[in-house]
């Protein structure tokens, strides 16, 4: 049955090549855009090296200090994480590290800028970097304030060409570091691990960061299991109520460790200027709302292509009025006809989806090669493919249902006469 | 004629409703992208108010004092930096500032006139800022040593747009900038205008004009914010090679501070990339969407013409010319487009009515509306052209035999 539907569909599509081509163009274009979007979200959110334990980690990305007259929203400061983030229940390890700082180095007289991150030793234990050369610096290096550095692959090439870097010295921002390790490039969109150069916290030019509640640092917590997340968040939130504020302009502090999805949701929902973490005053986040908003956006984007495809389908159906009339006259039910047409249309969208998949892979490769998003490794994978497949089916059913229903309601006599408006 | 076309469209209302929905959604998409485009184009042709060529910016990163508090050591060191860098032979003029053209950050405040709140941006600069950026003073004067004696008020220079908004046609120089009460209830020092400059669009060519206030920064004073930036006008012909010696000098004075040197031209390029990249991406997607719609519309109209062979044949048989048939098909398309646009415009017009316009001025809005409506008409008529031409080729004899 299905086979004969598909055979018939193939005949119909072959007969009106212009229509088929236009439909395929619309379908594949729509799915390319959606699949590229899915691939980018996938790139940002799914666990992958070095964030292999991402499903067990929470990050403290954002803190908000509120006073009677003004508020201060930024990354947390070192002191906030150091003093209130240690010994949380269910946390195996925790790390404090700075946000990337854009620092210059002069290589053969020209300036090259690098993103430099200052970290503690635990950073390398929570994250699972593979090393091309050497290894990470240790907590002991951090305590002793040794001037050692880990480079990413691109920075190694910038400093040393094709040669090895281990044991050699680099100078950035007026400070000299000995290279102890080299790691592969980490995409910029992976906020936690990303940097070009990683050096110990204690090599900072001034130690005033140790006395700051706000600004410049992130905290990372590795939980025993994701089941511990609620308890960790609850405890941290409670500790925030006891924070000793050093500045009399403020009277409360709100901050809560978040999962990457929550972080993304908040970042997008809040925007740079809106108040507290894009959530309520207790720092509760709304990931559900974020996904719903993304879904709605995708549907909204599909709206125009869907209407376009419905229009094309309608005119194709009217052309087949006599075929439908014959089938009705011989007793085919409305349900059968609807089923047949929807199957035909889903077959068409899947074909368009296949073209879209190939094009999307090409677009992703081009995006990666363009370096528009630094170090991004955008690619097709099983998850993106499944999403694409799902979207193609949804698209096919959406655009096939209404024309099929209209078709099934054609009166046999009228249909045989080749009519119907 | 129009009445008759309306009737023809009405007779095929189900099919046509869907076509109109398609045109309607296309209009919304096009309007969104055209609005951003017109907004950028409109801003681009306005004067910038400063010269960014040969200006370098040194960002100072240091442990910050809390807002409102003074770090006297940092302040005196900043003064030393400014003086020593200003003496380097490659530097024509140097000034300290809080923010600069093409800076991502901004410093904003607001004032109220007749109950309406206006936002303005601010910068706190030293006296040579005007020379570094080549500002044009149109009335009054720029900051100078004269202002050292200012007591009981704070001298400010504002831009012409702000002068117009506060003082109308009246004299701005000598006027007072209205201010809200300070948040901690203390009375603020009044800001007295000593000069007006032409314009100042901090965020560059693509940004909308804003009100702007310059405050005078005196590093010689014992109290005040430590400046975040040094701006240097370098002599024409200074190459990037000057950067390393400049950096060495800065580090020699302040070894525990970090510095970042960029030319305003670099900052400008990255500002333009940031502004244009999303618009280009959205534009490419919108372009493909419209191409898809155009092809789809052509297909549907083509199919419609084939279906109506008999009707068209009858008209030909009764003496209608090919031209009139073509006009009829295009007329029907025009009627449908008008109906779809009427709905689209009715919805879009709600934005200014509900004051939801955001960054877009009424002029930009109106221009975008007209442009996108015209583009949709063109698109729809272009799609109808070929099917209309096909309709004219219908032979009456063949058509009437058609089954």
């Amino acid at each position: 049955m299905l086979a004969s539907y598909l055979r018939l569909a193939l005949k119909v599509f072959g007969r009106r090549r212009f229509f088929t081509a236009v439909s395929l163009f619309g379908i594949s274009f729509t799915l390319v855009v959606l699949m590229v979007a899915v691939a980018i979200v996938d790139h940002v959110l799914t666990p992958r090296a070095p964030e292999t334990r991402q499903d067990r980690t929470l990050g403290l990305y954002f803190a908000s200090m509120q006073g009677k007259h003004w508020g201060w929203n930024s990354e947390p400061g070192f002191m906030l994480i150091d003093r209130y983030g240690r010994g949380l229940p269910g946390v195996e390890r925790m790390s404090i590290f700075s946000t990337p700082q854009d620092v210059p180095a002069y290589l053969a007289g020209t300036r090259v800028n690098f993103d430099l991150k200052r970290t503690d030793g635990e950073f390398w234990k929570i994250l699972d970097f593979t090393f091309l050369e050497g290894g990470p610096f240790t907590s002991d290096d951090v305590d002793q304030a040794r001037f050692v550095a880990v480079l990413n692959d691109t920075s190694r090439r910038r400093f040393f060409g094709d040669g090895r870097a281990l044991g050699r010295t680099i100078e950035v921002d007026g400070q000299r570091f000995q290279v102890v390790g080299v790691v592969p490039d980490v995409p910029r969109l992976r906020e936690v691990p990303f940097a070009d150069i990683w050096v110990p916290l204690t090599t900072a030019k001034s130690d005033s960061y140790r006395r700051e509640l706000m600004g410049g640092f992130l905290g990372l917590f590795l939980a025993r299991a994701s089941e511990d997340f609620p308890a960790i968040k609850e405890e941290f939130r409670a500790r925030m109520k006891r924070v000793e504020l050093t500045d009399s302009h403020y009277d409360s502090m709100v901050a809560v460790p978040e999962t990457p999805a929550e972080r993304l949701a908040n970042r997008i929902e809040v925007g740079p200027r809106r108040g507290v973490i894009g959530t309520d005053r207790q720092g509760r986040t709304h990931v559900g709302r974020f996904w719903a908003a993304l879904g709605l956006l995708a549907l909204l984007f599909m709206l125009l292509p869907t209407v376009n495809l419905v229009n094309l389908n309608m005119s194709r159906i009217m052309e087949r009025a006599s075929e439908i009339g014959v089938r009705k006259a011989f007793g085919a039910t409305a349900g059968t006809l609807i089923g047949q047409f929807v199957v035909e249309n889903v077959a068409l969208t899947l074909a368009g989806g296949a073209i879209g998949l190939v094009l999307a892979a090409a677009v992703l490769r081009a995006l990666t090669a363009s370096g528009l998003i630094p170090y991004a490794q955008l690619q097709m994978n099983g998850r993106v493919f499944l999403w694409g497949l799902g979207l193609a089916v949804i698209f096919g059913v959406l655009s096939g249902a209404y024309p099929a229903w209209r078709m099934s309601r054609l009166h046999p006599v009228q249909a045989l006469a080749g009519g119907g408006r | 004629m129009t009445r008759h076309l309306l009737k023809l469209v009405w007779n095929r209302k189900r099919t046509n409703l869907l076509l109109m929905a398609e045109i309607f959604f296309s209009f919304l998409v096009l309007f969104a992208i055209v609005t951003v485009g017109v907004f950028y184009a409109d801003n681009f042709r306005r004067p910038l108010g400063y010269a960014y060529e040969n200006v370098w910016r040194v960002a100072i990163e240091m442990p910050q004092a809390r807002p409102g508090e003074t770090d006297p050591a940092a302040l005196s060191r900043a003064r030393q930096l400014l003086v020593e860098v200003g003496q380097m032979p490659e530097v024509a003029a140097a000034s300290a500032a809080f923010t600069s053209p093409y800076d991502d950050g901004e410093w904003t405040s607001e004032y109220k006139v007749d109950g309406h709140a206006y936002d303005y941006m601010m910068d706190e600069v030293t006296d040579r800022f005007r020379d570094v950026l080549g500002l044009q003073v149109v009335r009054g004067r720029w900051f100078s040593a004269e202002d050292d004696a200012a007591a009981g008020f704070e001298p400010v220079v504002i831009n012409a747009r702000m002068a117009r908004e506060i003082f109308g046609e009246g004299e701005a120089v000598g006027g007072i900038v209205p201010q809200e009460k300070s948040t901690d209830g203390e009375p603020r020092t009044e800001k007295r205008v000593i000069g007006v400059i032409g314009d100042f669009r901090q965020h560059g060519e693509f940004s909308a004009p804003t009100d702007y206030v310059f405050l005078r920064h005196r590093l010689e004073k014992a109290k005040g914010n430590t400046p975040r930036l040094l701006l240097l006008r370098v002599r024409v012909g200074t190459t990037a090679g000057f950067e390393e010696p400049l950096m060495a000098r800065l580090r020699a004075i302040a070894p525990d501070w970090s510095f970042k040197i960029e030319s305003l031209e670099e900052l400008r390029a990255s500002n333009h990339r940031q502004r244009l990249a999303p618009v280009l991406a959205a534009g490419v997607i919108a372009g493909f969407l419209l191409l898809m719609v155009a092809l789809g519309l052509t297909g549907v109209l083509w199919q419609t013409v084939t279906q109506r062979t008999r009707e068209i044949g009858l008209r030909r048989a009764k003496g209608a010319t090919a031209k009139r048939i073509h006009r009829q098909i295009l007329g029907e398309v025009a009627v449908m487009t008008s109906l779809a646009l009427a709905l689209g415009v009715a919805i879009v017009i709600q934005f200014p009515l509900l004051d939801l316009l955001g960054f877009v001025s009424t002029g930009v809005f109106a221009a975008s509306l007209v442009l996108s409506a015209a583009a949709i008409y063109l698109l729809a008529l272009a799609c109808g052209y070929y099917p209309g031409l096909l309709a004219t080729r219908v032979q009456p004899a063949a058509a009437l035999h058609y089954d």
Side-chain angles (χ1 to χ4, degrees):
Chain A
M1 185 81 139
L2 202 62
S4 74
Y5 282 177
L6 291 177
R7 220 168 24 243
L8 190 65
L10 209 62
K11 279 267 169 2
V12 174
F13 295 143
R15 199 165 65 211
R16 294 305 293 262
R17 295 217 175 84
F18 177 73
F19 276 74
T20 312
V22 169
S23 304
L24 283 177
F25 168 69
I27 295 163
S28 49
F29 157 72
T30 309
L31 291 172
V32 165
V33 172
L34 291 172
M35 274 191 273
V36 168
V38 169
I40 291 175
V41 173
D42 183 80
H43 178 75
V44 177
L45 283 188
T46 53
R48 68 178 65 197
E51 292 174 277
T52 45
R53 290 182 274 270
Q54 198 186 36
D55 49 347
R56 287 200 287 138
T57 52
L58 288 174
L60 189 68
Y61 302 93
F62 194 88
S64 171
M65 224 165 32
Q66 294 297 323
K68 229 195 290 309
H69 299 298
W70 49 50
W72 183 358
N73 300 321
S74 79
E75 318 86 44
F78 181 88
M79 188 166 81
L80 187 75
I81 313 170
D82 187 48
R83 196 179 275 181
Y84 303 96
R86 302 216 178 262
L88 288 166
V91 171
E92 263 177 20
R93 292 178 181 282
M94 67 111 37
S95 164
I96 309 179
F97 51 93
S98 74
T99 52
Q101 192 190 353
D102 183 7
V103 295
Y106 291 89
L107 306 176
T110 42
R111 165 164 44 88
V112 183
N113 282 54
F114 294 94
D115 281 301
L116 180 114
K117 193 173 250 178
R118 298 182 194 271
T119 80
D120 56 10
E122 289 292 286
F123 180 79
W124 302 100
K125 295 190 174 150
I126 298 179
L127 297 170
D128 193 10
F129 282 93
T130 45
F131 278 81
L132 304 174
E133 281 184 54
F137 49 81
T138 61
S139 296
D140 186 49
D141 290 325
V142 178
D143 292 341
Q144 302 300 320
R146 291 196 185 106
F147 280 74
V148 288
V150 173
L151 301 186
N152 72 353
D153 196 22
T154 300
S155 309
R156 170 175 67 177
R157 220 170 13 235
R158 292 228 172 102
F159 278 106
F160 305 114
D162 292 329
R164 283 176 65 84
L166 204 61
R168 296 171 74 174
T169 306
I170 57 169
E171 184 177 336
V172 281
D173 198 18
Q175 294 184 310
R176 297 169 71 83
F177 298 92
Q178 192 182 27
V179 179
V180 293
V182 178
V183 294
D185 291 343
V186 180
R188 168 166 294 219
L189 293 178
R190 307 295 291 215
E191 188 179 11
V192 168
F194 168 76
D196 293 312
I197 303 171
W198 296 261
V199 300
L201 271 176
T202 41
T203 59
K205 289 183 175 174
S206 145
D207 70 351
S208 63
Y209 69 88
R210 296 192 159 265
R211 297 179 291 279
E212 296 292 340
L213 281 175
M214 297 293 283
F217 286 82
L218 302 185
L220 194 63
F221 306 94
L222 180 67
R224 269 189 279 279
S226 58
E227 286 74 39
D228 292 327
F229 284 178
I232 295 171
K233 291 180 182 179
E234 207 44 60
E235 170 66 17
F236 195 87
R237 204 177 284 139
R239 288 183 184 186
M240 286 302 102
K241 298 207 168 74
R242 302 195 295 267
V243 170
E244 276 175 57
L245 295 166
T246 44
D247 188 332
S248 61
H249 291 109
Y250 301 97
D251 47 35
S252 72
M253 169 75 82
V254 179
V256 66
E258 299 168 294
T259 62
E262 285 167 343
R263 161 65 170 161
L264 185 67
N266 291 334
R267 194 146 74 162
I268 289 178
E269 221 181 358
V270 188
R273 290 206 203 160
R274 298 251 308 275
V276 190
I277 320 187
T279 62
D280 46 35
R281 277 253 169 192
Q282 281 71 47
R284 279 179 241 284
T285 53
H286 299 286
V287 182
R289 212 159 62 187
F290 168 67
W291 290 122
L294 273 193
L296 196 69
L297 209 67
L299 278 181
L300 219 59
F301 172 72
M302 276 209 269
L303 195 61
L304 187 51
T306 306
V307 174
N308 186 51
L309 199 55
V310 166
N311 272 329
L312 283 166
N313 285 340
M314 288 296 289
S315 36
R316 241 186 31 222
I317 283 176
M318 290 315 155
E319 188 193 324
R320 291 165 68 184
S322 46
E323 172 201 334
I324 295 155
V326 171
R327 292 212 48 203
K328 281 204 126 175
F330 279 90
T333 61
T336 319
L337 284 172
I338 291 180
Q340 178 190 344
F341 192 77
V342 171
V343 165
E344 261 181 39
N345 198 54
V346 169
L348 186 68
T349 42
L350 284 179
I355 301 172
L357 200 71
V358 174
L359 290 177
V363 169
L364 290 175
R365 215 177 10 249
L367 260 181
T368 302
S370 74
L372 218 58
I373 313 168
Y375 308 136
Q377 293 294 329
L378 296 170
Q379 54 196 339
M380 258 318 145
N381 59 30
R383 263 186 314 274
V384 179
F385 174 78
L386 283 179
W387 269 98
L389 197 72
L391 287 167
V393 172
I394 292 175
F395 190 41
V397 172
L398 276 183
S399 57
Y402 176 72
W405 178 73
R406 282 292 307 281
M407 172 181 81
S408 72
R409 281 177 30 123
L410 272 181
H411 200 275
V413 175
Q414 206 185 4
L416 276 170
R421 293 213 160 105
Chain B
M1 179 71 177
T2 317
R3 230 181 126 85
H4 179 63
L5 285 174
L6 269 170
K7 196 171 181 179
L8 282 173
V9 171
W10 179 252
N11 281 342
R12 304 168 46 82
K13 51 188 172 297
R14 276 198 170 155
T15 317
N16 290 343
L17 198 65
L18 274 167
L19 282 180
M20 286 192 282
E22 190 167 348
I23 297 171
F24 166 73
F25 290 126
S26 310
F27 170 72
L28 293 188
V29 169
L30 191 67
F31 177 72
I33 197 83
V34 165
T35 305
V36 180
V38 170
F39 174 70
Y40 276 3
D42 180 54
N43 289 337
F44 200 83
R45 65 183 179 86
R46 291 170 193 275
L48 202 52
Y50 49 83
Y52 57 83
E53 298 92 349
N54 296 312
V55 178
W56 290 17
R57 186 181 94 155
V58 179
I60 308 171
E61 280 168 38
M62 65 188 137
Q64 281 292 335
R66 298 190 190 291
E69 285 172 29
T70 305
D71 180 345
L75 197 58
S76 89
R77 207 195 236 167
R79 186 170 59 234
Q80 192 191 349
L81 284 174
L82 185 62
V83 170
E84 293 208 14
V85 166
Q87 283 164 352
M88 295 180 86
E90 291 86 347
V91 177
S95 100
F98 178 79
T99 179
S100 80
Y102 305 110
D103 194 22
D104 285 335
E106 58 186 29
W107 181 12
T108 57
S109 188
E110 62 169 39
Y111 63 88
K112 281 188 183 152
V113 176
D114 304 332
H116 192 295
Y118 296 90
D119 287 328
Y120 64 85
M121 291 198 221
M122 275 190 283
D123 198 358
E124 189 177 33
V125 302
T126 54
D127 293 356
R128 297 214 64 191
F129 186 83
R130 179 187 58 170
D131 306 323
V132 173
L133 284 173
L135 304 185
Q136 299 296 323
V137 176
V138 292
R139 276 203 301 280
R141 59 176 180 85
W142 182 253
F143 303 125
S144 71
E146 254 179 84
D147 297 307
D148 292 354
F153 71 92
E154 192 178 5
V156 297
V157 172
I158 62 177
N159 65 351
R161 178 189 151 96
M162 186 159 179
R164 214 165 35 244
E165 259 161 23
I166 301 178
F167 306 105
E169 296 304 311
E171 181 54 54
V173 176
I176 308 292
V177 176
Q179 295 186 86
E180 291 293 281
K181 274 205 192 69
S182 153
T183 41
D184 23 16
E186 294 162 28
R188 284 181 191 269
T189 332
E190 74 182 27
K191 290 189 169 72
R192 190 178 295 170
V193 179
I194 61 157
V196 178
I197 55 162
D199 211 332
F200 196 83
R201 289 194 292 142
Q202 184 186 317
H203 292 302
E205 285 84 346
F206 293 114
S207 65
T210 51
D211 290 357
Y212 213 97
V213 173
F214 285 102
L215 310 177
R216 183 166 185 250
H217 201 328
R218 278 184 66 207
L219 301 179
E220 294 78 12
K221 274 197 311 192
K223 237 174 104 93
N225 305 320
T226 319
R228 282 175 63 232
L229 306 171
L230 302 180
L231 290 170
L232 319 174
R233 171 160 292 276
V234 295
R235 297 198 191 282
V236 179
T238 305
T239 61
F242 172 54
E243 220 184 289
E244 218 174 337
L246 175 63
M247 183 64 98
R249 176 70 65 91
L250 293 166
R251 281 182 186 148
I253 302 167
D256 56 340
W257 288 2
S258 283
F259 301 96
K260 207 163 120 186
I261 305 176
E262 284 153 300
S263 66
L264 284 196
E265 270 153 278
E266 277 177 89
L267 288 167
R268 176 174 181 264
S270 102
N271 170 291
H272 285 192
R273 265 198 305 279
Q274 270 175 35
R275 295 239 173 199
L276 291 180
V279 183
L280 280 180
V284 168
I285 291 178
F288 271 107
L289 271 177
L290 291 179
L291 178 62
M292 177 187 81
V293 167
L295 288 172
L297 214 55
T298 311
V300 172
L301 291 172
W302 185 353
Q303 187 65 28
T304 312
V305 166
T306 342
Q307 267 175 39
R308 291 166 69 185
T309 305
R310 268 189 290 183
E311 172 194 334
I312 296 164
L314 194 61
R315 278 204 70 196
R316 287 305 296 272
K318 299 255 302 181
T321 59
K323 206 169 158 190
R324 298 203 54 166
I325 298 288
H326 206 168
R327 284 229 323 251
Q328 178 201 339
I329 301 290
L330 290 182
E332 284 181 31
V333 172
V335 165
M336 282 193 285
T337 312
S338 308
L339 290 174
L341 283 182
L343 181 64
V345 170
I347 286 179
V348 164
I349 209 101
Q350 301 305 313
F351 290 107
L353 292 182
L354 297 174
D355 212 10
L356 290 176
L357 228 45
F359 61 91
V360 179
S361 70
T362 324
V364 168
F365 177 84
S368 315
L369 198 64
V370 171
L371 261 178
S372 32
I376 288 287
Y377 266 117
L378 264 178
L379 183 86
L381 290 178
C383 293
Y385 184 81
Y386 181 67
L389 203 65
L390 281 183
T392 61
R393 298 207 185 121
V394 171
Q395 292 299 320
L400 293 173
H401 274 223
Y402 178 92
D403 59 0

